[in-house]
Amino acid sequence: MSYAEQIKQYVLDEFLPGVGPEELEDDYDLRANGVIDSLGLLRVVTWLESTFEIPMEEVEIVEQDFTSITSISRFAELHSASGSSGADYLGKAA
């Protein structure tokens, strides 16, 4: 299962119960449309940290990285322990 698929399923399960995956576009703005508020953002960050082994204390968390399934997936791929990138936003080697 891809990052985007896992993240979409998490968002559906936690924030949009009863909505099917086909009903949630990957570029739908979750923040602007009230799906994920500030408390929800903390839940997403905590879930990403444990699911994808992202060292959140070492990366910059920017609201724009959490607006859609696409942006969250990009963030996870960039910062996960198994991701393809070797650097975080602060320019440090992973």
Side-chain angles (χ1 to χ4, degrees):
M1 185 179 275
S2 73
Y3 284 92
E5 291 169 327
Q6 291 178 69
I7 292 164
K8 181 182 273 192
Q9 193 58 57
Y10 173 77
V11 168
L12 290 169
D13 291 346
E14 295 296 317
F15 302 101
L16 295 168
V19 174
E22 67 285 347
E23 297 175 76
L24 178 60
E25 296 293 326
D26 287 352
D27 61 349
Y28 182 77
D29 194 324
L30 301 166
R31 304 270 299 143
N33 289 298
V35 175
I36 297 177
D37 59 13
S38 56
L39 182 57
L41 179 58
L42 291 174
R43 290 173 48 200
V44 170
V45 167
T46 301
W47 179 80
L48 288 170
E49 183 174 37
S50 64
T51 302
F52 300 114
E53 299 178 19
I54 298 173
M56 290 298 190
E57 66 280 352
E58 297 176 14
V59 297
E60 182 178 358
I61 297 174
V62 180
E63 184 176 343
Q64 291 83 353
D65 290 331
F66 299 91
T67 57
S68 67
I69 301 300
T70 300
S71 63
I72 298 169
S73 178
R74 196 174 311 123
F75 176 88
E77 289 173 9
L78 181 64
H79 297 294
S80 74
S82 60
S84 59
S85 175
D88 66 18
Y89 283 165
L90 302 176
K92 300 176 190 172

